[in-house]
Amino acid sequence: PRLLGENKVFYGAMCFYLCAFINLIFATSRWQVALAGMCYGFGIGFGFPLLNSAAVRSVESNRRGRATSTYMAMQDVGSSVGSTIWGMVANSNPFTTVYSCVFCVAVCQVISYTLLLRKKAQPGEKTLREILHLDHHHDHGCEGHCHSCASKCEHTPMEELKALMQYMVGHNAAH
Protein backbone atom coordinates (compact mmCIF):
# COMPACT_ATOMS: atom_id res chain seq x y z
CA PRO A 1 0.00 0.00 0.00
CA ARG A 2 2.84 2.44 0.64
CA LEU A 3 4.11 2.36 -2.94
CA LEU A 4 0.72 2.49 -4.65
CA GLY A 5 -1.28 4.25 -1.97
CA GLU A 6 -3.97 2.86 0.27
CA ASN A 7 -6.83 4.03 -1.91
CA LYS A 8 -5.54 2.33 -5.06
CA VAL A 9 -4.91 -0.92 -3.19
CA PHE A 10 -8.32 -0.81 -1.52
CA TYR A 11 -10.21 -0.07 -4.75
CA GLY A 12 -8.23 -2.76 -6.57
CA ALA A 13 -9.03 -5.25 -3.82
CA MET A 14 -12.69 -4.32 -3.93
CA CYS A 15 -12.72 -4.89 -7.71
CA PHE A 16 -11.58 -8.47 -7.02
CA TYR A 17 -14.17 -8.77 -4.24
CA LEU A 18 -17.00 -7.52 -6.48
CA CYS A 19 -15.84 -9.74 -9.36
CA ALA A 20 -16.13 -12.72 -7.05
CA PHE A 21 -19.84 -12.12 -6.57
CA ILE A 22 -20.43 -11.33 -10.24
CA ASN A 23 -18.77 -14.66 -11.07
CA LEU A 24 -20.99 -16.45 -8.55
CA ILE A 25 -24.15 -14.82 -9.92
CA PHE A 26 -23.43 -16.10 -13.42
CA ALA A 27 -21.44 -19.26 -12.63
CA THR A 28 -22.38 -22.36 -14.60
CA SER A 29 -19.27 -24.46 -13.99
CA ARG A 30 -16.82 -25.39 -11.27
CA TRP A 31 -13.95 -23.35 -12.73
CA GLN A 32 -16.09 -20.19 -12.46
CA VAL A 33 -16.76 -20.95 -8.80
CA ALA A 34 -13.03 -21.56 -8.27
CA LEU A 35 -12.23 -18.25 -10.01
CA ALA A 36 -14.78 -16.52 -7.76
CA GLY A 37 -13.07 -18.02 -4.71
CA MET A 38 -9.69 -16.75 -5.86
CA CYS A 39 -11.10 -13.26 -6.51
CA TYR A 40 -12.79 -13.27 -3.11
CA GLY A 41 -9.50 -14.25 -1.44
CA PHE A 42 -7.58 -11.44 -3.15
CA GLY A 43 -10.30 -8.96 -2.24
CA ILE A 44 -10.40 -9.94 1.42
CA GLY A 45 -6.65 -10.46 1.69
CA PHE A 46 -5.69 -7.05 0.32
CA GLY A 47 -8.69 -4.91 1.27
CA PHE A 48 -9.69 -5.66 4.80
CA PRO A 49 -6.27 -5.19 6.46
CA LEU A 50 -6.44 -1.62 5.18
CA LEU A 51 -9.66 -1.14 7.12
CA ASN A 52 -7.88 -2.38 10.24
CA SER A 53 -5.10 0.13 9.65
CA ALA A 54 -7.74 2.87 9.30
CA ALA A 55 -9.12 1.86 12.71
CA VAL A 56 -5.65 1.92 14.24
CA ARG A 57 -4.79 5.24 12.59
CA SER A 58 -7.91 6.85 14.05
CA VAL A 59 -6.80 6.53 17.68
CA GLU A 60 -3.88 7.68 19.81
CA SER A 61 -0.79 5.43 19.79
CA ASN A 62 -1.43 4.14 23.34
CA ARG A 63 -4.87 2.83 22.26
CA ARG A 64 -3.83 0.97 19.08
CA GLY A 65 -4.04 -2.47 20.69
CA ARG A 66 -7.56 -1.73 21.84
CA ALA A 67 -8.51 -0.46 18.37
CA THR A 68 -7.18 -3.62 16.71
CA SER A 69 -8.97 -5.93 19.14
CA THR A 70 -12.22 -3.97 18.76
CA TYR A 71 -11.93 -4.13 14.96
CA MET A 72 -11.28 -7.89 15.03
CA ALA A 73 -14.09 -8.52 17.50
CA MET A 74 -16.56 -6.55 15.36
CA GLN A 75 -15.34 -8.40 12.26
CA ASP A 76 -16.10 -11.70 14.03
CA VAL A 77 -19.55 -10.47 15.11
CA GLY A 78 -20.25 -9.25 11.57
CA SER A 79 -19.18 -12.58 10.09
CA SER A 80 -21.34 -14.53 12.55
CA VAL A 81 -24.44 -12.37 12.21
CA GLY A 82 -23.97 -11.94 8.46
CA SER A 83 -23.60 -15.69 7.89
CA THR A 84 -26.79 -16.32 9.83
CA ILE A 85 -28.74 -13.65 7.92
CA TRP A 86 -27.45 -14.76 4.51
CA GLY A 87 -28.21 -18.36 5.45
CA MET A 88 -31.84 -17.42 6.17
CA VAL A 89 -32.03 -15.49 2.89
CA ALA A 90 -30.54 -18.48 1.03
CA ASN A 91 -33.18 -20.82 2.49
CA SER A 92 -35.98 -18.98 0.73
CA ASN A 93 -34.23 -17.60 -2.40
CA PRO A 94 -32.04 -18.90 -5.21
CA PHE A 95 -28.32 -18.38 -4.79
CA THR A 96 -28.23 -15.89 -7.66
CA THR A 97 -30.50 -13.65 -5.58
CA VAL A 98 -28.29 -14.05 -2.51
CA TYR A 99 -25.11 -13.24 -4.43
CA SER A 100 -26.82 -10.29 -6.10
CA CYS A 101 -27.77 -8.92 -2.68
CA VAL A 102 -24.24 -9.50 -1.34
CA PHE A 103 -22.88 -7.67 -4.40
CA CYS A 104 -25.11 -4.69 -3.53
CA VAL A 105 -23.87 -4.74 0.07
CA ALA A 106 -20.28 -4.80 -1.21
CA VAL A 107 -20.98 -1.77 -3.43
CA CYS A 108 -22.31 -0.02 -0.29
CA GLN A 109 -19.03 -0.90 1.45
CA VAL A 110 -17.03 0.77 -1.31
CA ILE A 111 -19.27 3.85 -1.14
CA SER A 112 -18.91 3.96 2.66
CA TYR A 113 -15.12 3.74 2.38
CA THR A 114 -15.11 6.54 -0.17
CA LEU A 115 -17.25 8.80 1.99
CA LEU A 116 -15.88 7.98 5.45
CA LEU A 117 -12.44 6.43 5.45
CA ARG A 118 -10.65 7.34 2.24
CA LYS A 119 -7.21 8.59 3.19
CA LYS A 120 -6.68 12.18 2.19
CA ALA A 121 -3.23 13.45 1.27
CA GLN A 122 -1.67 15.19 4.24
CA PRO A 123 -0.08 18.63 3.82
CA GLY A 124 3.51 18.15 2.72
CA GLU A 125 2.94 14.51 1.75
CA LYS A 126 4.79 13.71 -1.46
CA THR A 127 3.50 11.69 -4.39
CA LEU A 128 5.56 8.80 -5.72
CA ARG A 129 6.39 10.88 -8.79
CA GLU A 130 7.76 13.66 -6.56
CA ILE A 131 9.74 11.14 -4.53
CA LEU A 132 11.36 9.67 -7.63
CA HIS A 133 12.45 13.09 -8.83
CA LEU A 134 14.00 14.28 -5.56
CA ASP A 135 17.50 13.21 -6.51
CA HIS A 136 17.58 13.88 -10.23
CA HIS A 137 21.18 13.72 -11.47
CA HIS A 138 20.94 13.34 -15.22
CA ASP A 139 20.28 16.43 -17.28
CA HIS A 140 18.82 16.80 -20.72
CA GLY A 141 17.47 20.31 -20.43
CA CYS A 142 14.62 19.61 -18.02
CA GLU A 143 16.48 20.89 -14.95
CA GLY A 144 15.10 18.04 -12.86
CA HIS A 145 11.45 18.52 -13.83
CA CYS A 146 10.94 15.41 -15.94
CA HIS A 147 7.14 15.49 -15.68
CA SER A 148 7.14 18.67 -17.79
CA CYS A 149 10.07 17.64 -19.98
CA ALA A 150 9.40 17.50 -23.73
CA SER A 151 11.80 14.57 -24.16
CA LYS A 152 9.87 12.47 -21.60
CA CYS A 153 12.95 11.24 -19.80
CA GLU A 154 12.98 7.56 -18.95
CA HIS A 155 14.22 6.46 -15.56
CA THR A 156 15.80 3.06 -15.23
CA PRO A 157 14.31 0.84 -12.52
CA MET A 158 17.61 1.21 -10.64
CA GLU A 159 17.36 5.03 -10.67
CA GLU A 160 13.80 4.82 -9.36
CA LEU A 161 14.74 2.32 -6.66
CA LYS A 162 17.74 4.44 -5.60
CA ALA A 163 15.61 7.61 -5.37
CA LEU A 164 12.91 5.77 -3.41
CA MET A 165 15.45 4.25 -0.99
CA GLN A 166 17.11 7.63 -0.43
CA TYR A 167 13.74 9.18 0.31
CA MET A 168 12.79 6.37 2.71
CA VAL A 169 16.11 6.61 4.59
CA GLY A 170 15.72 10.37 4.94
CA HIS A 171 12.06 10.10 5.89
CA ASN A 172 12.66 7.39 8.52
CA ALA A 173 15.64 9.30 9.96
CA ALA A 174 13.39 12.33 10.41
CA HIS A 175 11.02 10.29 12.54
Side-chain angles (χ1 to χ4, degrees):
R2 289 185 181 180
L3 288 178
L4 296 175
E6 286 184 7
N7 295 328
K8 287 179 185 174
V9 172
F10 183 79
Y11 289 126
M14 290 301 100
C15 285
F16 277 107
Y17 188 69
L18 294 170
C19 284
F21 294 109
I22 290 172
N23 279 330
L24 287 172
I25 291 167
F26 298 106
T28 58
S29 64
R30 289 182 184 179
W31 74 266
Q32 290 171 313
V33 173
L35 179 63
M38 184 181 74
C39 289
Y40 181 81
F42 281 134
I44 295 293
F46 285 107
F48 287 98
L50 291 175
L51 296 176
N52 182 35
S53 71
V56 169
R57 212 178 26 251
S58 70
V59 299
E60 301 85 38
S61 60
N62 64 333
R63 302 186 82 200
R64 289 184 177 165
R66 194 175 298 168
T68 298
S69 63
T70 302
Y71 173 83
M72 293 300 187
M74 292 297 106
Q75 186 177 12
D76 289 343
V77 169
S79 295
S80 300
V81 172
S83 297
T84 303
I85 291 171
W86 290 119
M88 292 184 324
V89 171
N91 278 335
S92 57
N93 294 290
F95 279 111
T96 55
T97 301
V98 174
Y99 294 131
S100 297
C101 291
V102 172
F103 177 83
C104 291
V105 169
V107 168
C108 290
Q109 289 173 327
V110 173
I111 292 169
S112 296
Y113 173 84
T114 302
L115 296 175
L116 302 173
L117 297 176
R118 185 174 180 182
K119 185 179 179 199
K120 306 286 190 273
Q122 301 299 316
E125 195 172 63
K126 297 189 182 317
T127 65
L128 184 58
R129 170 172 267 174
E130 291 169 330
I131 290 168
L132 294 179
H133 292 94
L134 284 177
D135 190 21
H136 193 87
H137 292 300
H138 59 279
D139 186 27
H140 51 271
C142 71
E143 298 176 6
H145 301 289
C146 291
H147 59 281
S148 61
C149 179
S151 68
K152 298 294 181 208
C153 105
E154 293 291 323
H155 294 276
T156 66
M158 196 52 127
E159 284 178 311
E160 292 178 356
L161 180 61
K162 181 181 173 191
L164 187 59
M165 295 301 286
Q166 287 174 338
Y167 170 78
M168 289 170 55
V169 166
H171 181 74
N172 289 339
H175 294 296

